[in-house]
């Protein structure tokens, strides 16, 4: 959830500057900067208390970066400088990006897994995955695109696609994250279907670092009142404008 605070133009949303960064190649140094900032911030958050020792953050990786072998060194450099456990960092790659050059993606992602970082396939269902390649990609989690979540009705109707994707992920030994949760019925359906994690405005809106840190100190419960599990110690938050991910069961 990168935002650009421009000195004269104010807040510039990512849909304005990310495509330019992609086309110009600036997305590479920007991502390296994000990796270092994220890992450094995460190290500070993990030291708040023992319950946050395993706190994890996610960083989006562009197709331009995935296509470069330098990605490996960039990730290692951020991990070494921050001294976080590699498993605390999760890299998110969109489905279409991963499939653009599947063989190269498989090779790079396997090297990243050897380092110990977590991997997530983002916006699943919006691309055209080949199942013959999907099972070879070493992803730990699968993120369901919000377009499938918002279709769910008040009584759970139109949830067949969600059920199919969650079953597919479970069969591939992946955890499942649903994004775009905005209503209690959507949350209830996802819980009933066995979805592991969720994010969305019902749980929390994007927040700056300071506000997120205050909530961590308060041991904030991310699930809506009445839906909290017995334990809720897994929250994933990107450092610049977090979208917290709550454990759904």
């Amino acid at each position: 959830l990168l935002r650009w605070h421009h000195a004269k133009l104010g807040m510039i949303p990512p849909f304005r500057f990310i495509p330019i960064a992609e086309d110009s190649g600036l997305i590479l140094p920007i991502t390296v900067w994000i990796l270092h900032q994220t890992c450094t911030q995460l190290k500070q958050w993990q030291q708040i208390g023992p319950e946050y020792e395993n706190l994890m953050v996610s960083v989006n990786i562009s197709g331009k970066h995935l296509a470069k072998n330098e990605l490996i060194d960039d990730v290692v450099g951020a991990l070494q400088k921050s001294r976080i456990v590699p498993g605390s960092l999760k890299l998110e790659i969109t489905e279409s990006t991963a499939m653009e050059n599947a063989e190269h993606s498989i090779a790079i992602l396997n090297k990243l897994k050897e380092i110990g970082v977590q991997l997530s396939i983002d916006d699943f269902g919006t691309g055209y995955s080949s199942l013959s390649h999907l099972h070879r990609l070493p992803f730990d989690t699968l993120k369901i695109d919000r377009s499938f979540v918002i279709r769910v009705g008040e009584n759970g109707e139109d949830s067949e696609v969600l059920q199919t994707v969650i079953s597919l992920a479970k069969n591939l030994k992946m955890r499942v994250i649903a994004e775009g949760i905005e209503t209690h019925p959507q949350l209830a359906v996802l819980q009933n279907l066995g979805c592991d994690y969720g994010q969305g405005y019902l749980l929390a809106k994007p927040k700056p670092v300071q506000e997120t840190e205050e909530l961590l100190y308060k041991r904030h419960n991310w699930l809506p009142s009445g839906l909290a599990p017995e334990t809720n110690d897994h929250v994933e938050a990107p450092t610049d404008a977090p979208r917290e991910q709550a454990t759904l069961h």
Side-chain angles (χ1 to χ4, degrees):
L1 288 178
L2 187 66
R3 299 293 186 271
W4 181 4
H5 296 266
H6 193 280
K8 295 182 179 180
L9 302 177
M11 185 77 78
I12 302 178
F15 73 85
R16 292 281 302 277
F17 69 87
I18 291 296
I20 299 173
E22 290 269 6
D23 293 340
S24 65
L26 284 175
I27 194 65
L28 300 181
I30 288 175
T31 303
V32 173
W33 176 80
I34 292 172
L35 283 168
H36 283 270
Q37 291 291 111
T38 298
C39 293
T40 299
Q41 181 66 71
L42 175 59
K43 184 65 174 180
Q44 296 175 13
W45 283 347
Q46 289 176 336
Q47 294 173 336
I48 291 177
E51 65 267 50
Y52 296 129
E53 289 180 355
N54 296 320
L55 193 68
M56 182 187 300
V57 297
S58 301
V59 174
N60 293 317
I61 300 298
S62 75
K64 293 286 181 67
H65 215 152
L66 185 62
K68 301 286 186 181
N69 292 325
E70 289 84 354
L71 175 60
I72 307 298
D73 292 335
D74 294 336
V75 171
V76 170
L79 293 173
Q80 291 178 341
K81 185 177 180 179
S82 63
R83 297 184 178 181
I84 65 169
V85 175
S88 299
L89 176 64
K90 179 180 286 185
L91 304 179
E92 293 192 4
I93 296 96
T94 63
E95 178 186 8
S96 56
T97 294
M99 295 301 170
E100 188 171 326
N101 186 344
E103 293 302 324
H104 176 80
S105 296
I106 291 170
I108 293 294
L109 294 175
N110 279 324
K111 290 180 181 179
L112 290 169
K113 284 302 297 178
E114 291 175 4
I115 296 170
V117 299
Q118 299 284 307
L119 298 174
S120 178
I121 183 167
D122 197 8
D123 296 338
F124 186 80
T126 61
Y128 301 94
S129 293
S130 167
L131 293 180
S132 63
H133 288 310
L134 184 61
H135 82 279
R136 297 173 56 203
L137 293 165
F139 288 108
D140 301 286
T141 58
L142 183 153
K143 182 178 284 189
I144 303 174
D145 187 72
R146 68 183 303 272
S147 61
F148 298 110
V149 176
I150 61 177
R151 296 176 187 174
V152 176
E154 290 294 321
N155 298 312
E157 58 268 26
D158 297 325
S159 62
E160 293 83 4
V161 173
L162 287 179
Q163 183 173 2
T164 300
V165 174
I166 291 172
S167 297
L168 172 64
K170 299 291 185 180
N171 288 332
L172 292 173
K173 304 297 188 291
M174 298 182 193
R175 293 291 187 98
V176 188
I177 302 171
E179 61 181 7
I181 303 174
E182 298 181 358
T183 69
H184 284 83
Q186 291 170 355
L187 178 60
V189 167
L190 288 163
Q191 287 177 311
N192 290 333
L193 291 177
C195 186
D196 300 297
Y197 306 115
Q199 66 182 50
Y201 277 16
L202 181 65
L203 307 174
K205 292 184 178 181
K207 296 174 176 60
V209 172
Q210 183 176 355
E211 186 176 345
T212 298
E213 192 164 303
E214 291 173 357
L215 291 173
L216 290 176
Y217 274 108
K218 293 177 181 177
R219 274 64 176 178
H220 178 71
N221 193 330
W222 304 101
L223 283 178
S225 177
L227 290 173
E230 293 182 1
T231 60
N232 182 28
D233 57 2
H234 184 100
V235 178
E236 298 184 358
T239 60
D240 59 311
R243 289 177 300 180
E244 287 73 16
Q245 291 180 351
T247 305
L248 298 189
H249 59 83

